[in-house]
Each structure stands twice: as C-alpha cells, then as structure tokens.
C-alpha cells in the first residue's frame, strides 16, 4: 500500500504544517520556516465534517441520519391520495400494502439539504448525468456519493499547491464580484467564433486526447466550488496521483470482475479485458495499407463494453463498463480507451505465446503500465514541454519513493488545461466521415448512437504518425488563448458547464491560484511583459485585459498566462518556461515517488514491445501493437 501523506505516520515522528514547493508536504518539525506563515484570508472557505476539512458545507447535513429528525424539519404529511398519485405518475411497484406505504412515506423527514440549495455546478451535474447526456467533463458531485473511509482517512489523497502561501497571497486575484465579472468577459472572448485563424500546430491531434486520457488517470476533483473561495488542501483527489492506469484497471479483477474476461481454458491468469460490440451501420474505422475507403470493414468489436438489457434493447442505458466514466465522454477518448483495453489483451496474448510461467495478468499489467509511462514521458511530454524541460525535471526533481505529495492545483486547474486550446472544430474521423464536427464527436458517444456505430469507428492513423496512409493527418490546434467555438455547442452542456473558458478561469480564482507572474517568480524566470501578453490579440480581448485598472495584466490568471506564454514564446507548439516546468515537474515527481514506476526499475527500463525505433516506445507504437490501425 502506498504511503500517500505523512499524516499516515505516528505523530511523534512528523508534524505536518502546509503544502509548499512542488506539491510536497512541508515538515516544520525538521525544517523550521524562517518566514512566518500569513493567515488565510477570510474569503477562503473550508468546513469541518467528522474531523476532516471539506469544501462542501452541506456535507455534514447530508450524512446525518434522515430517519432521526433531530436537525431536520418534519416533512408535510401526504394524503393517501397524493401517495397513490405519485405511485401512478412514476409507474412504481410497491411491495407492501397501500396503508403500509402511506405510513412509511409520512415517517420520512424533509431533506436537510434540498437540491435547490446545492452549489450551482453540482445542481447542473445532477441534471446532466442521465444516460442520454453523460456530461462528465468538469462534473461536480457531493462527496456523500463516494465511499467515506477514503475521504475521512488522514491518508486520503488531496489537492494542494506547488507555490508557497506567500507567493499566492502576494500575486493571486482577490475573490470579488468585480474580478469574477472580468474573468467571465475574458472567458467569453476566448471562444469567439472565427478566431481559430492561426495555422495548426506540429502535434498530431491524437495527443489532445492522450492528454485527456492521462488526466483521467491522475486527477479527479468532484467537490471544488466556483461560487466560493476554497482552500485546495481540503479537496479530495478521487484518482491515485500516479501513472498507474487505475482509470483502465479499476480495482482489478478480484474486486471488479465485470471489467474482465476470464479464460475458460489455457493459463488461468491470462485475464483479458472485456471488449464491446458495435451496431452495424456499415464500414468504418481504419482502411489499413490500402489507403482507400474500400479497405474499411464493418467493425464488430471496436467499442468499450456497455450496460445492455436484451429484454429491453431500446431502454438500455449503454453506460460504459470502464474504470472511469469520463473516458466515455466523447467518441475519440472512448475509442482511445478501447485501444488501451486491446493493448492489454495483446500483451496477455504475447505472454501466453511466450509460455510465461508466472502470473500473466500481473506481468501484463506491469508491461502495459511501464510502456505507457515511457510513451507519456518521451512522446507526449517531450512534444508538449520540450525535451530540455523534461530532461531537466528528471535530473533535478528529488522525490524519494513514497515521499509526501499532493496534486498541485497550479498543474490540475491551470497548466495542464492547455489541452483545451488544442481541440479542433472539425476532425477527419475516417474515410466515411471526413469533416466531423466536435458536436458530432460528442453526439456519437451518446444514445441513440450507442453502442458505437460501426461506421463511426475512429481511424487513429489520422490522429497519430503510424505510417499507415490516410489523406488527412489531423493536427492539434496551436496552444494559445483561442478555444474552438464548437466547445460551446456541445450536447447536454448548459450554463457555466457549457462555457469552458469561463469555468476554468473561475475555478482558478476560487482556489486562489498564484498569477502567472507569481509562478514565473517561483521558478526564477523572467515574467512576460504586458506587450507580450497582448501580442497579436484582437482589440476586444486587449480591452478586457486592460479593464479594471489592468488587474488581469498585472496578476494574470495562471491558466490564461500559460496559454499566452505558449503562443508567444513556444510558437503554439509547446508550453513556455512556466507552463512547461509546472507540467514536467509534476509528472516526474509522480513517477519518482512511485516505487513501481519505470523510473524506479532496477538497472533501468528498456521497452521490449515492437516499436518503430528500437529501445523507444510511442503512442503510435502502442496503437499499432493494440491492433487498431488495421481493419
């Protein structure tokens, strides 16, 4: 079991104070601070529930025993006729007599926390979690929905800060109505139609969705708020902060056997993933080396497994049976998750073919995870951060195995959200759909288009450099402050959930992130000037930055700063010095502190799976070995 927090140790051994540099936990008992810590501002809200800090003030009331109306109001009594009307309206099938049902109904106390009293983002999430909508991106939920032990344990994973408190206090935007209005104006301008005029980047478009898949492997914030200043140290990270593919493997075949296909013959540990089926809508997916639509086939098993009721096919939810539901949010990330399932299965087959004498599942998971980690560092991160920045992080970040760590919000809420600007309005999905809109990419991962139609299977040869001929190689958009206007026309997204840029900016404000200039000072790099921040921007966006006494130019929101830095200093192809350092150093720290990562293999790890360049391993190599680049 991983040690996640020094609070897991006996108090006589360590005294925890605060989160400081690089998301580590500062230990005042060993390294006395020379600078007194400033008091937290009054606008930062944290609430104690059963002895733990929580950003959700309603949680204690939700968790109280509703059958004991000590603090809850007695609900107004319902008449037998009203109860019967509800039974008919909702087509209920009571298992007790009408009299017993009526008596039980009137013993129920009123809700301690009505839905209308929940924060705005939680209310909107509840409304969009229907099978037909499934809006998981940015979803916020009540922590009461989750197992309570991991939440209440002092060892639970939390978010934290990379920067010092003094840096944040000196450089962050104040959580005020005026600043919230300024950020809303700026966010609205970032997705103005017609602004996507710059050339594409050099990065294959598949890395936009690699970034999304990786994010779902390491972070999940379901409880922070937009409408109140919140201390990040009170927010739970509902994913393990390690590149361990828990979003793929879940809790493993012992606890979540429904994810897996157990062998009926052969080695008993050759456990593979279940795959899903496609609905026949004609040929789709890769055309292979033929390089023409005539090479496509009617795909039958190019989807993730889904909930299906054979007695009522039309009423099936088609909910994905996978380790993280966010990986079924849009067609491209769904198909990438499917490719990862196949990747594991192919590694299992390799081990079976090799007559591997040990636990095949365990060895397959180790090989899959290590090759995935190599691809993340040397394919994904080197493209996004630059090889020099990644190499520097590997050489300089000190993170002993099992060292304390909290996922820094400078990474999760700001720098790592660079991928939002890489999204295209349109994609060449296959020979069948050569100009699919982003709205369609979402639409065809939802009912009534599920299971994934065979004609909409993604040809990943158009998203990665696999060497298989296609007429169009999708490139990601440049990293800049322009977001695809299609992102604001997605099915089932409403209100603040719909306006992605506004939501990102408001989240950073609520969590008290340091400004971009503050993080530049943290890394001892020269901050961007006002002239650089406004270089090449339209007049209305410059006006928004200059409004309110130029507060957004003096204390530039970190996410926006990272995007502008990438556009001006990185040419839109990679992050700049601040964004690149935040991202690279966070990943390297996660890998170094994980005793099972490829960086901690005795003697070093060299990929063994087939690859275009011997001794390396890329995501293109992964997809080829998974078998999804050929029909």
């Amino acid at each position: 079991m991983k040690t996640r927090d020094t609070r897991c140790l006996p108090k006589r051994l360590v005294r925890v104070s605060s989160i400081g540099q690089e998301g580590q936990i500062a230990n005042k008992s060993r390294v006395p601070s020379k600078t007194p810590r400033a008091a937290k501002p009054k606008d930062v809200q944290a609430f104690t529930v059963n002895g733990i800090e929580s950003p959700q003030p309603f949680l204690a009331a939700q968790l109280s025993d509703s059958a004991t109306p000590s603090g809850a109001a007695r609900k107004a009594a319902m008449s037998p006729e009203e109860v019967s009307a509800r039974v008919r309206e909702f087509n209920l099938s009571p298992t007790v007599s009408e009299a017993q049902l009526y008596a039980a109904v009137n013993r129920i106390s009123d809700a301690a926390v009505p839905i209308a009293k929940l924060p705005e983002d939680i209310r909107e999430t509840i409304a969009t979690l229907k099978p037909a909508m499934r809006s998981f991106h940015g979803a916020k939920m009540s922590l009461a929905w989750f197992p309570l032990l991991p939440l209440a344990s002092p060892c639970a994973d939390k978010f934290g800060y990379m920067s010092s408190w003094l840096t944040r206090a000196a450089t962050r935007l104040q959580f005020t109505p005026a600043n919230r209005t300024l950020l809303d104006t700026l966010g609205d301008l970032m997705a103005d139609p017609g602004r996507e005029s710059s050339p594409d980047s050099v990065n294959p478009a598949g890395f936009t969705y690699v970034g999304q898949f990786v994010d779902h492997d390491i972070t999940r914030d379901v409880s922070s708020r937009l409408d109140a200043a919140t201390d990040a140290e009170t927010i739970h990270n509902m994913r393990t902060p390690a590149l361990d593919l828990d979003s793929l493997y879940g809790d493993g075949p012992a606890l979540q056997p429904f994810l897996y296909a157990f062998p009926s013959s052969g080695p008993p540990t050759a456990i593979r993933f279940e795959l899903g089926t496609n609905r026949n809508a004609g040929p789709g997916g890769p055309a292979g080396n033929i390089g023409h639509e005539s090479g496509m086939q009617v795909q039958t098993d190019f989807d993730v497994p889904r909930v299906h009721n054979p007695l009522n096919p039309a009423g099936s939810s088609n909910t994905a049976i996978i380790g993280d539901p966010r990986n079924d949010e849009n067609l491209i990330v769904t198909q990438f998750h499917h490719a990862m399932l196949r990747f594991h299965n192919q590694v299992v087959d390799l081990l079976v073919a090799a007559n591997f004498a040990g636990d095949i599942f365990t060895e397959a998971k180790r090989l899959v995870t290590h090759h995935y980690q190599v691809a993340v560092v040397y394919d994904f991160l080197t493209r996004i951060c630059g090889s020099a920045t990644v190499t520097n992080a590997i050489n300089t970040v000190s993170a002993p195995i099992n060292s304390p760590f909290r996922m820094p919000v400078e990474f999760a809420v700001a720098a790592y959200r660079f991928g939002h600007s890489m999204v295209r309005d349109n994609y060449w999905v296959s020979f069948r759909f050569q100009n699919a809109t982003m709205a369609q990419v979402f639409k065809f991962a939802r009912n009534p288009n599920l299971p994934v139609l065979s004609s909409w299977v993604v040809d990943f040869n158009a998203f990665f450099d696999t060497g298989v001929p296609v007429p169009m190689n999708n490139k990601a958009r440049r990293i800049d402050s322009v977001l695809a206007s299609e992102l604001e026309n997605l099915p089932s997204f409403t209100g603040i959930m719909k306006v992605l840029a506004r939501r990102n900016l408001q989240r950073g404000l609520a969590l008290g992130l340091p400004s971009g200039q503050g993080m530049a000072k943290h890394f001892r790099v020269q901050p961007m000037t006002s002239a650089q921040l406004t270089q090449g921007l339209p007049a209305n966006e410059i006006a928004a930055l200059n409004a309110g006494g130029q507060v957004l130019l003096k204390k530039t929101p970190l996410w926006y700063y990272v995007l502008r830095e990438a556009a001006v200093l990185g040419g839109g192809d990679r992050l700049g010095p601040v964004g690149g350092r935040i991202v690279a150093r966070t990943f390297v720290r996660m890998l170094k502190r994980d005793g099972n990562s490829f960086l901690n293999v005795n003697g070093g790890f060299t990929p063994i799976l087939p690859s275009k360049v011997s001794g390396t391993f890329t995501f293109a190599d992964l997809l080829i070995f998974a078998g999804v680049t050929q029909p």
Side-chain angles (χ1 to χ4, degrees):
M1 177 179 177
K2 296 178 185 176
T3 301
R4 297 179 178 175
D5 194 316
T6 53
R7 289 174 297 174
C8 302
L9 301 175
K11 291 184 179 180
R12 66 178 182 276
L13 296 181
V14 64
R15 180 160 52 90
V16 175
S17 61
S18 64
I19 304 301
Q21 302 289 322
E22 309 296 339
Q24 294 188 86
I25 296 179
N27 183 348
K28 275 191 173 181
S29 64
R30 296 183 183 180
V31 185
S33 174
K34 296 181 180 179
T35 306
R37 176 171 172 155
K40 291 181 181 179
K42 294 180 180 179
D43 59 357
V44 174
Q45 297 190 28
F47 305 88
T48 301
V49 180
N50 295 336
I52 62 169
E53 280 190 298
S54 170
Q56 298 185 338
F58 52 85
L59 188 60
Q62 277 193 315
L63 296 176
S64 65
D65 186 356
S66 59
T68 305
S70 55
R74 176 68 69 180
K75 191 166 64 70
M78 295 179 67
S79 67
E81 293 74 22
E82 288 174 320
V83 174
S84 296
R86 297 282 292 181
V87 168
R88 291 192 300 272
E89 179 183 357
F90 294 101
N91 196 28
L92 305 180
S93 301
T95 59
V96 297
S97 68
E98 290 186 7
Q100 289 174 309
L101 179 66
Y102 170 69
V105 162
N106 284 309
R107 284 196 294 266
I108 295 174
S109 301
D110 205 356
V113 186
I115 294 294
K117 297 294 185 181
L118 294 174
E120 177 185 9
D121 15 2
I122 289 183
R123 294 199 310 273
E124 291 190 3
T125 291
I126 292 172
T128 59
L129 287 180
K130 301 172 184 176
M133 303 174 80
R134 272 197 353 271
S135 298
F136 291 110
H137 195 86
K140 300 299 167 188
M141 305 171 191
S142 168
L143 289 171
W145 286 20
F146 295 85
L148 295 183
L149 184 59
L151 300 177
S153 167
C155 304
D157 283 315
K158 295 284 189 71
F159 287 88
Y161 297 96
M162 177 179 283
S163 56
S164 69
W165 167 250
L166 291 178
T167 295
R168 299 194 302 277
T171 70
R172 69 184 179 93
L173 282 173
Q174 296 298 311
F175 189 85
T176 65
N179 284 339
R180 296 193 72 191
T181 299
L182 290 175
L183 294 182
D184 279 348
T185 300
L186 180 62
D188 288 339
L189 293 172
M190 292 175 70
D192 265 1
R195 288 197 56 199
E196 308 91 344
S197 57
S198 62
D200 291 340
S201 76
V202 300
N203 296 308
F207 286 97
T208 307
Y209 299 93
V210 165
Q212 185 178 18
F213 180 89
V214 172
D215 175 57
H216 297 170
D217 182 26
I218 58 178
T219 72
R220 191 174 189 189
D221 161 22
V222 301
S223 61
S224 68
R225 303 174 60 180
L226 295 177
D227 56 357
T230 305
D231 183 356
E233 296 175 26
T234 69
I235 300 170
H236 287 82
N237 182 9
M238 307 307 288
R239 291 250 74 97
T240 56
L243 290 166
D244 58 0
L245 286 173
D246 60 336
S247 60
L248 186 74
Y249 289 98
D251 289 331
L255 294 180
Q256 294 184 331
F258 47 82
L259 296 177
Y260 296 92
F262 292 82
S264 57
S265 61
T269 60
I271 302 170
R272 299 168 177 85
F273 278 112
E274 292 278 8
L275 299 178
T277 59
N278 300 101
R279 282 172 54 198
N280 189 345
N289 295 327
I290 292 178
H292 185 268
E293 60 183 320
S294 61
M296 295 191 304
Q297 298 179 4
V298 176
Q299 304 296 345
T300 59
D301 59 353
F302 268 58
D303 193 12
V304 299
R306 298 183 181 278
V307 174
H308 179 69
N309 182 359
L311 299 179
N312 182 23
S316 293
S317 69
N318 286 307
T319 301
I321 307 173
I322 55 178
D324 192 312
R326 295 174 297 172
N327 284 346
D328 193 36
E329 182 184 66
N330 64 69
L331 182 68
I332 302 173
V333 76
T334 298
Q335 291 275 279
F336 188 81
H337 189 103
H338 161 262
M340 291 297 296
L341 299 177
R342 283 182 172 268
F343 180 47
H344 168 88
N345 291 354
Q346 289 299 316
V347 173
V348 169
D349 288 352
L350 178 71
L351 292 170
V352 171
N355 197 25
F356 183 73
D359 183 331
I360 290 176
F361 175 80
T362 299
E363 180 66 8
K365 182 180 178 183
R366 185 186 68 83
L367 287 173
V368 165
T369 303
H370 283 171
H371 282 78
Y372 159 75
Q373 291 172 348
V374 167
V376 168
V377 173
Y378 294 111
D379 193 13
F380 174 60
L381 287 184
T382 53
R383 291 175 186 269
I384 298 302
C385 303
S387 57
T389 301
V390 174
T391 300
N392 179 265
I394 291 174
N395 291 337
T396 61
V397 169
S398 175
I401 292 174
N402 288 336
S403 55
F405 176 79
R406 287 189 180 181
M407 184 63 68
V409 285
E410 291 90 342
F411 167 85
V413 176
Y416 198 65
R417 299 197 179 199
F418 67 85
H420 291 161
S421 72
M422 297 170 66
V423 174
R424 300 179 59 87
D425 276 325
N426 302 83
Y427 289 96
W428 194 98
V429 170
S430 69
F431 284 98
R432 182 76 179 270
F433 295 102
Q434 302 186 21
N435 194 32
T437 66
M438 194 63 204
Q440 287 177 311
V441 167
F442 274 73
K443 176 182 177 182
F444 282 88
R446 283 162 171 73
N447 284 329
N449 302 306
L450 293 175
V452 168
L453 304 181
S454 59
S455 57
W456 273 89
V457 169
V458 172
D459 184 351
F460 277 120
N461 298 302
F463 289 81
F464 295 88
D465 297 325
T466 63
V468 177
V470 286
M472 170 69 176
N473 290 106
N474 297 303
K475 297 296 183 182
R477 299 294 299 166
R478 288 178 182 258
I479 305 173
D480 55 25
S481 59
V482 180
L483 270 64
S485 56
E486 277 284 320
L487 282 174
E488 298 194 16
N489 296 298
L490 300 179
S492 76
F493 285 79
T494 60
I496 192 67
M497 303 293 287
K498 179 179 179 180
V499 188
L500 179 63
R502 283 171 55 184
R503 180 155 38 98
N504 284 350
L505 292 168
Q506 293 288 357
R507 189 82 59 201
L509 179 69
L511 289 170
L513 293 188
S515 67
Q517 293 86 347
M519 284 307 293
K521 181 180 178 181
H522 171 84
F523 288 123
R524 296 182 174 87
V525 300
Q526 184 66 34
M528 295 179 72
T529 65
S530 295
Q532 288 174 312
L533 284 167
T534 57
Q535 180 179 316
L537 293 179
N540 55 0
E541 191 165 338
I542 295 175
L545 292 170
N546 279 306
Q550 296 188 322
V551 63
L552 298 185
L553 283 178
K554 297 172 183 176
K555 295 183 176 182
T556 307
L558 183 55
W559 176 58
Y560 185 82
Y561 184 97
V562 166
L563 297 181
R564 292 299 302 146
E565 184 188 55
V568 174
L569 305 181
D573 292 323
R574 62 182 55 87
L575 297 173
V578 170
R581 280 173 170 81
I582 293 174
V583 171
R585 294 178 74 84
T586 299
F587 273 103
V588 169
R589 184 167 299 281
M590 284 190 289
L591 287 165
K592 284 193 172 185
R593 66 182 292 272
D594 177 6
N596 296 317
S597 83
F598 85 99
L599 289 181
N600 287 317
V601 171
N602 288 333
F605 175 77
T606 300
I608 65 167
L609 297 179
S611 60
K612 185 176 181 180
V613 178
S614 179
T616 66
F617 198 75
T618 67
F619 279 103
D621 295 325
L622 185 155
L623 294 167
I624 292 170
F625 188 74
V628 299
T629 61
Q630 296 292 333

